[in-house]
Amino acid sequence: MKNVDYIIVGDGYAGLFFAHQLIKNNKSFVIFSEGKKSASQVSAGIINPVVLKKFTTFWKAQEQIDFLKISLKEIENYTGKNYLIEAPIHRIFHDENEQRLWLKKSENDELINFLDKNFDHLNVLKNDFQTGKVNQSARLNVNGFFSGLFDFLENRGDLIKEKFYYSELDTENSTYKDFTFKNILFCEGMAVKENPFFSDIPVIPNKGHHIKVKLSKQIPQNITIKKKHFLFPVNDELYFYGGTYDREQLHHNIDDSAVEQLKKGLEEFYPYDFEIDHVNFGFRPTVKDRRPIIGRHSKHQNLYVFNGLGARGILNGCYFSKNLYDFIEENIPLPKEISIERFK
């Protein structure tokens, strides 16, 4: 039997950012990765402190941005790679009313560090009312982040590339197959609904589509463009455009209506020909109050859950992994806003 401090089940942002906390603190662990691409792995990787529909911010936005930048520097120290892409979001305004609202909101204490007061006009694109830049926004190199961390964990012998079977978990003796563990953490996204220990947590699937497109006329490379959805370059040929939000069409197939929505959204501000190279989708685990669900099982005291990251998976996964680590290792209570106890 191999003895570890932690077993992590799930390989999205929650699992990998918690693994980072364990690496920092010299804890032994293994992470079970089934090999299916999670919602995290097909996400846009947007790092954004502003809700761009209403020009508002959210709980602990500045703290989350600051903590993420520190954490990515720490990850760079052991992977040797920087996964932060300094490409600020430029929000295309629909009309003069949005310009005025942006300027008004930019005076708020919560938003003064995020909403740039100087507007820009972008070449090639239709932006008659200019764009507003979101300061401190950026992107994560999603493919690089996951492949880099998976390679690092595999080289250490911490990555187990197989499905986790709940039936082989012995909770009384804290064993799973050939492992004994102190704690086990489930970070499974929507797969939690198959988990007999945490299937009752109130996560709601939100299906998101995105398209990869070839543009006939190139656009600025060092920014992320937002109108209805986000547009940014993936490589020299392809651009990412997405993603949609759908709580109704939850089958595991591409929705033609979502693809059409994306085509029309892109055509609104890109007046040239483009070709859809491929379509992808994932299921975000969301919660009604838009806060993660984190905590300990009511009966099995060394079983934990980290879920419900929603559309802000990078920021939520990074920041709240520290809260969870401190809760388990230092017995520091979780903030009530994220605790599983708020649903009991």
Side-chain angles (χ1 to χ4, degrees):
M1 299 287 279
K2 180 181 179 181
N3 184 43
V4 293
D5 294 316
Y6 287 84
I7 290 177
I8 300 172
V9 182
D11 59 3
Y13 291 127
L16 290 190
F17 278 119
F18 190 79
H20 171 60
Q21 293 298 322
L22 300 182
I23 292 167
K24 278 176 60 178
N25 290 280
N26 297 312
K27 299 293 183 181
S28 59
F29 68 94
V30 290
I31 182 167
F32 278 82
S33 170
E34 191 174 344
K36 295 180 180 178
K37 283 209 169 184
S38 64
S40 297
Q41 292 176 53
V42 298
S43 67
I46 303 294
I47 300 164
N48 176 25
V50 177
V51 180
L52 288 170
K53 190 174 182 180
K54 303 176 181 178
F55 307 154
T56 57
T57 188
F58 50 86
W59 185 52
K60 293 185 178 294
Q62 186 65 66
E63 293 96 322
Q64 290 190 46
I65 290 282
D66 293 342
F67 191 77
L68 176 66
K69 289 180 178 178
I70 291 169
S71 298
L72 290 176
K73 280 289 185 186
E74 293 168 344
I75 290 171
E76 183 181 355
N77 287 338
Y78 56 79
T79 64
K81 295 179 181 176
N82 174 20
Y83 303 115
L84 185 66
I85 301 172
E86 299 282 2
I89 296 167
H90 281 248
R91 164 63 149 80
I92 296 177
F93 295 122
H94 291 80
D95 51 39
E96 290 179 349
N97 289 332
E98 282 197 337
Q99 288 181 325
R100 287 193 288 268
L101 180 60
W102 179 285
L103 288 174
K104 182 180 177 181
K105 292 287 187 78
S106 71
E107 300 292 338
N108 292 356
D109 288 344
E110 286 188 330
L111 289 158
I112 195 166
N113 293 323
F114 300 141
L115 300 184
D116 199 302
K117 293 181 173 65
N118 298 309
F119 296 156
D120 294 299
H121 182 84
L122 303 179
N123 295 327
V124 181
L125 304 172
K126 287 173 65 177
N127 54 124
D128 296 341
F129 299 96
Q130 301 182 290
T131 68
K133 183 173 75 169
V134 181
N135 294 325
Q136 301 190 59
S137 61
R139 293 199 314 269
L140 184 72
N141 175 354
V142 176
N143 289 337
F145 177 79
F146 282 101
S147 63
L149 276 170
F150 287 160
D151 287 346
F152 175 78
L153 294 172
E154 188 169 15
N155 289 336
R156 282 172 37 124
D158 297 335
L159 186 66
I160 309 295
K161 293 182 175 181
E162 61 182 59
K163 182 179 174 67
F164 185 91
Y165 292 95
Y166 308 110
S167 60
E168 298 196 41
L169 175 61
D170 183 343
T171 54
E172 286 191 15
N173 296 301
S174 295
T175 62
Y176 177 77
K177 291 189 175 181
D178 296 329
F179 293 95
T180 60
F181 59 87
K182 290 181 183 176
N183 301 292
I184 184 166
L185 174 62
F186 294 101
C187 310
E188 305 161 285
M190 287 314 308
V192 75
K193 289 303 181 183
E194 306 301 318
N195 185 323
F197 305 102
F198 291 105
S199 61
D200 59 340
I201 66 170
V203 289
I204 305 161
N206 187 316
K207 189 176 184 179
H209 286 72
H210 72 257
I211 55 178
K212 298 276 181 67
V213 296
K214 294 179 180 178
L215 303 182
S216 59
K217 196 174 179 76
Q218 298 301 295
I219 62 173
Q221 296 288 301
N222 59 340
I223 61 173
T224 299
I225 298 153
K226 171 72 162 72
K227 196 171 185 188
K228 287 185 176 177
H229 309 287
F230 291 101
L231 176 69
F232 57 84
V234 178
N235 53 41
D236 291 339
E237 287 190 349
L238 291 179
Y239 290 77
F240 179 109
Y241 184 64
T244 61
Y245 292 84
D246 192 344
R247 291 190 174 92
E248 304 300 327
Q249 301 294 325
L250 300 179
H251 52 78
H252 288 261
N253 297 301
I254 291 169
D255 296 318
D256 292 338
S257 60
V259 177
E260 189 61 27
Q261 178 187 335
L262 290 168
K263 284 174 61 179
K264 287 181 177 178
L266 184 54
E267 286 168 352
E268 278 188 20
F269 65 93
Y270 184 77
Y272 304 97
D273 292 337
F274 62 87
E275 174 190 342
I276 296 178
D277 187 77
H278 65 271
V279 182
N280 211 336
F281 64 88
F283 293 90
R284 311 175 188 92
T286 64
V287 186
K288 279 189 176 180
D289 62 8
R290 297 174 186 262
R291 305 272 168 83
I293 299 175
I294 302 174
R296 178 186 286 131
H297 194 273
S298 57
K299 178 181 175 184
H300 305 291
Q301 293 297 291
N302 62 346
L303 268 62
Y304 298 87
V305 68
F306 188 6
N307 209 309
L309 302 188
R312 287 192 283 270
I314 297 167
L315 291 172
N316 282 336
C318 182
Y319 187 81
F320 294 115
S321 65
K322 178 68 163 60
N323 285 129
L324 177 55
Y325 180 84
D326 290 344
F327 174 63
I328 299 172
E329 292 292 335
E330 306 295 337
N331 205 27
I332 297 173
L334 289 165
K336 64 182 185 300
E337 292 89 347
I338 61 171
S339 173
I340 193 174
E341 298 299 321
R342 73 189 190 272
F343 298 109
K344 294 181 180 178

